[in-house]
Amino acid sequence: MLIGREPDAAVLGEASAWLLARSVVSASADPRLVELDASLDRVTGAVLSLSRALAENVADSRDVQAFARDFLSMEGLPIEAPRKRTDFETFTSALGVVGALPPLLDLADAYAAAKRERGYVEFSDQVALALAICERNPEVVAAHRERARTVLLDEYQDTSVVQTRLLATLFSGHSVMAVGDPDQSIYGWRGASAANLARFSKDFAPDSGAGVFDLSTSWRNPGIVLDAANALIQPLDAGIPKAPLSPSPFAGAGEVGVRWAETIEHEADLVARWFAARLGRPGGGASRSGALLCRTFANVGVFTTALRNHGVPTHVLGIAGLLDQPVIADLVCVLRVLHDPTAGSELVRVLGGARWRIGPADLAALNGLARWLADRDLGSRRLGDEVRQGLRASVAADESPSIVDALDFLLTAPDSHSALRAFSDTGLGRMRRAGAQLQSLRRRAGLGLVDFVHLVQQELLLDIEVAANAEQPLGPPSLEAFDELLAGFADVAEHPTLGAFLGWLTEAEQRDRLAPRQDEPEPGAVQVLSIHGSKGLEWDVVAIPRMVDEELPSKPRTTKGWLAFGELPNDFKGDRAELPELQWRGVQSQAEFDEAVRGFAEENRQRHADEERRLAYVALTRTRSELLLTGSWWASQKSPRKPSVFLHELVRAGILDVGALPVTPADDENPRGGDTVRQRWPLDPLGPRHEAVH
């Protein structure tokens, strides 16, 4: 009430915030949005991200608007140098990204206004509003200081800028102790700063300075694991003196092993055997817990399949794991096909799967039919050359003809139609049955979201499949968990639509893979999760797969930094002193700007390398007993991937044997690409359980 806000405001969850932001964006009539060339869901994600960044960094959107105007004034800069085409793209791209900020900022302000009108706040708003209360009302600060003689702050490296400002406003000059490990700061993407501990004296004891104590005894890890962690983290400068980790008096010797394979399948088999031997030990082995910590989920299916083949109970945690379950993947694919006529890859999965069993030749024929239809009008008459050229020019280069529309065409076209010559009789019959089912489901799209999704489940017979398939023990619980997810989304949505739900699923999957988890370890089972999600957790035995170049450490997805769509410029971030700086002010030509961007990109690349090193450090220190590091030359890429630089550092530190890492692969080309397997088509939907079911 002190700052004119209702104290009983409801806190928005992820789904609610996404829906509200999406409704604000879709209701906007701003003509500038047309020029952004971005989908509704992408703009929604950018607005949410920008709104939260403004709150977390206590920044004013009007200042950012002024920054954008100054930046865009460079538009007329002379070239003044011989240039490659990519250089032009760099300058033009930067102007485009910053040019998108004004309409996105207006939408972020509209989103904030919508929250106020409806009496909502987000977590970032709560902290920012608390800071506003403290800055405007000294009596609130005095009351909190009287209430607590001593303040203890834990996990201080994970605090955001606005949280630090709130705490410093309340307790600067008070008796405060902060505990944290700057080398475990892996949540920079959501506002945390690795430099927080180094700035502690300045924030809380600007006059007297702060004392520093080392809590360097690890009560979790064995000695050799700590030696490995110290070796990896040694090159990092945390900005504050830090003693190396040492084992407790009760720590065991521990084990750090490495396994290297030729292919990823062999690597996954080695990991599965290692877990099977340790979790299945007689005399209490089943009480041990295990974890597979992944940098990315690109190849996680290979490892989970190997674990299950060796009889190791496996649980992929979170929404991301749920969406990877076959029954849920099938359901979501059909929902996307029903919603989006361009969802071609999803339709291929549905048609080629066990339900319809349509072979590659008929799928190729469907693609050919889609191309044939793209050049014709509704009466199947060929369009004129000028019209076809105009249509092609208006379509994005990577957008292919719709095979969803082609499937609909099959329902009305006679068997004798010349465009159907490439189809087999069996394939054509199955496609027509599949198309009729999808068309029938589209007619029922007016049902409520929950009822509609349940109808799709039943029409696809997914409920029957999970009840009948003993080889997929996670089938029934996966459907139940998805139903809970769906019901939760529908409860908070003002207008729950299928499109909004699918857009939120995409956003939620990405956020979930990076978020910390609260799941307890499961004795006798292997939990599969991301390294980001593992922070704060511990297991008896841990394996870290794919320790190869460009995977751990990973190659940066981008080195553009804040020169990306919907990003808040570094100038407005509370830890800007520690962030890479783009020296764009005062440049006299586009050539100078390009040079500044190259230097900025190199700083971002180094910052990413430091974050990857911290991630590896967090992953290593999750184990109470045994640790396995693995890699292989060949996965899906064309050239072999070498052992990770982290593995070489552990060899030099004496943690791993010198001969543990091979120098060259046995094959000069990817051996996985040359494997030929004769497959009988159509697929038997029952597979190895055919006899048992019959």
Side-chain angles (χ1 to χ4, degrees):
M1 298 301 283
L2 289 172
I3 55 170
R5 297 291 292 265
E6 292 294 336
D8 58 350
V11 181
L12 286 177
E14 284 289 338
S16 309
W18 169 265
L19 281 168
L20 181 58
R22 197 177 193 273
S23 68
V24 168
V25 174
S26 59
S28 173
D30 191 335
R32 295 174 296 177
L33 295 178
V34 179
E35 300 168 11
L36 297 185
D37 191 26
S39 67
L40 172 60
D41 288 342
R42 190 178 177 216
V43 174
T44 301
V47 168
L48 263 181
S49 172
L50 204 50
S51 172
R52 288 166 178 169
L54 289 168
E56 286 164 357
N57 292 281
V58 203
D60 191 319
S61 62
R62 291 169 296 186
D63 296 334
V64 187
Q65 294 269 19
F67 172 93
R69 285 195 295 274
D70 291 345
F71 192 96
L72 294 172
S73 66
M74 290 193 298
E75 192 170 5
L77 276 181
I79 296 173
E80 288 191 4
R83 314 185 70 204
K84 303 175 189 171
R85 202 177 105 196
T86 52
D87 293 334
F88 286 108
E89 289 172 359
T90 300
F91 183 68
T92 307
S93 169
L95 291 177
V97 162
V98 178
L101 279 176
L104 291 177
L105 286 164
D106 287 344
L107 286 172
D109 288 343
Y111 170 62
K115 284 190 290 185
R116 277 197 301 274
E117 288 166 9
R118 291 166 171 79
Y120 294 147
V121 293
E122 289 184 81
F123 177 72
S124 54
D125 298 323
Q126 285 184 303
V127 184
L129 292 171
L131 174 62
I133 291 168
C134 293
E135 287 179 338
R136 298 180 201 172
N137 300 276
E139 67 275 11
V140 173
V141 174
H144 276 79
R145 285 172 176 253
E146 287 176 15
R147 191 181 305 169
R149 269 195 332 188
T150 303
V151 179
L152 303 178
L153 309 174
D154 194 19
E155 297 288 0
Y156 190 66
Q157 78 281 347
D158 291 335
T159 50
S160 67
V161 171
V162 68
Q163 289 169 343
T164 302
R165 275 189 59 177
L166 171 62
L167 293 167
T169 303
L170 282 169
F171 300 117
S172 179
H174 202 58
S175 176
V176 182
M177 174 186 276
V179 181
D181 182 352
D183 296 326
Q184 288 196 48
S185 180
I186 60 173
Y187 296 132
W189 53 274
R190 63 175 195 182
S193 172
N196 258 3
L197 276 168
R199 289 200 309 264
F200 181 79
S201 282
K202 180 181 173 185
D203 290 333
F204 288 90
D207 300 324
S208 58
V212 179
F213 304 89
D214 287 315
L215 300 176
S216 56
T217 300
S218 167
W219 298 89
R220 172 194 300 143
N221 311 117
I224 191 167
V225 170
L226 294 176
D227 292 341
N230 286 327
L232 279 193
I233 215 65
Q234 190 270 332
L236 282 183
D237 177 16
I240 187 171
K242 186 183 161 199
L245 296 171
S246 57
S248 76
F250 315 106
E255 177 188 308
V256 177
V258 64
R259 304 280 192 281
W260 192 266
E262 190 71 10
T263 66
I264 189 172
E265 286 82 6
H266 187 203
E267 178 189 353
D269 187 68
L270 291 172
V271 170
R273 290 176 187 275
W274 186 82
F275 274 120
R278 280 149 185 81
L279 297 185
R281 279 179 180 162
S287 64
R288 303 177 98 202
S289 59
L292 185 75
L293 305 183
C294 305
R295 177 61 186 91
T296 72
F297 276 67
N299 297 302
V300 75
V302 180
F303 289 90
T304 55
T305 300
L307 286 164
R308 287 168 186 147
N309 287 344
H310 283 276
V312 179
T314 306
H315 184 193
V316 184
L317 300 184
I319 292 175
L322 177 65
L323 296 180
D324 287 335
Q325 288 298 314
V327 61
I328 304 303
D330 279 350
L331 175 58
V332 172
C333 279
V334 172
L335 293 175
R336 291 195 188 282
V337 170
L338 294 173
H339 174 70
D340 181 5
T342 66
S345 57
E346 287 86 351
L347 181 60
V348 168
R349 177 189 169 101
V350 173
L351 296 179
R355 174 72 194 279
W356 296 110
R357 299 186 291 153
I358 293 166
D362 284 310
L363 291 174
L366 186 67
N367 188 47
L369 176 62
R371 288 201 302 273
W372 184 85
L373 288 171
D375 289 341
R376 282 163 173 77
D377 62 15
L378 286 174
S380 297
R381 291 183 296 271
R382 187 175 173 83
L383 298 169
D385 291 341
E386 286 186 17
V387 177
R388 282 188 289 121
Q389 286 173 4
L391 282 172
R392 287 198 184 105
S394 69
V395 174
D398 59 348
E399 190 170 316
S400 56
S402 169
I403 64 171
V404 179
D405 290 344
L407 187 66
D408 287 341
F409 177 79
L410 290 179
L411 297 178
T412 55
D415 291 351
S416 58
H417 199 295
S418 61
L420 307 188
R421 281 197 299 264
F423 291 92
S424 70
D425 291 342
T426 305
L428 189 58
R430 291 180 182 179
M431 281 191 185
R432 281 175 170 162
R433 288 198 298 276
Q437 184 186 56
L438 292 173
Q439 203 169 78
S440 169
L441 287 170
R442 280 196 200 98
R443 293 194 189 104
R444 308 292 297 280
L447 289 170
L449 179 62
V450 174
D451 291 337
F452 180 67
V453 174
H454 284 165
L455 174 69
V456 174
Q457 280 183 28
Q458 291 161 6
E459 287 291 313
L460 297 175
L461 306 181
L462 292 176
D463 50 346
I464 306 292
E465 164 63 15
V466 298
N469 192 345
E471 290 194 0
Q472 293 287 344
L474 294 178
S478 295
L479 271 184
E480 290 169 13
F482 190 80
D483 286 346
E484 289 177 14
L485 202 67
L486 175 68
F489 179 87
D491 285 345
V492 298
E494 195 172 344
H495 302 292
T497 64
L498 181 58
F501 178 61
L502 293 172
W504 175 73
L505 275 184
T506 303
E507 177 81 4
E509 180 181 20
Q510 177 62 23
R511 286 184 170 275
D512 177 73
R513 283 189 169 150
L514 296 177
R517 304 226 57 80
Q518 302 300 321
D519 307 69
E520 290 295 319
E522 300 169 51
V526 172
Q527 292 180 321
V528 182
L529 65 162
S530 68
I531 298 175
H532 279 97
S534 72
K535 188 172 176 296
L537 303 176
E538 57 188 73
W539 296 267
D540 295 309
V541 292
V542 170
I544 307 170
R546 306 302 299 150
M547 290 201 71
V548 300
D549 269 357
E550 298 189 6
E551 291 191 44
L552 186 60
S554 70
K555 188 168 71 172
R557 282 192 300 174
T558 176
T559 56
K560 292 180 179 179
W562 64 266
L563 285 177
F565 185 73
E567 285 288 323
L568 183 70
N570 287 356
D571 290 41
F572 300 96
K573 294 178 181 174
D575 56 345
R576 54 188 166 272
E578 289 83 34
L579 295 175
E581 184 179 358
L582 175 62
Q583 305 280 354
W584 63 273
R585 289 182 174 85
V587 296
Q588 300 300 310
S589 66
Q590 292 185 29
E592 276 187 42
F593 179 81
D594 293 340
E595 186 62 34
V597 168
R598 281 193 286 273
F600 181 60
E602 185 53 42
E603 284 189 60
N604 284 319
R605 194 173 286 109
Q606 183 54 51
R607 182 175 173 82
H608 175 81
D610 290 346
E611 288 178 354
E612 290 295 295
R613 188 172 289 277
R614 285 195 286 268
L615 262 183
Y617 168 72
V618 166
L620 259 63
T621 52
R622 296 308 97 199
T623 182
R624 289 192 287 254
S625 176
E626 297 175 58
L627 177 68
L628 178 68
L629 313 173
T630 71
S632 54
W633 294 108
W634 301 104
S636 56
Q637 74 282 355
K638 290 183 179 178
S639 56
R641 287 197 169 157
K642 300 175 183 176
S644 163
V645 62
F646 298 147
L647 291 180
H648 286 294
E649 289 178 11
L650 295 180
V651 169
R652 287 196 294 271
I655 310 296
L656 303 176
D657 293 336
V658 175
L661 302 179
V663 179
T664 56
D667 297 284
D668 294 332
E669 294 184 2
N670 194 333
R672 302 171 78 235
D675 292 345
T676 56
V677 179
R678 185 175 293 277
Q679 186 79 314
R680 181 172 176 174
W681 208 279
L683 294 170
D684 182 349
L686 301 177
R689 58 196 176 105
H690 184 105
E691 294 297 327
V693 171
H694 276 280

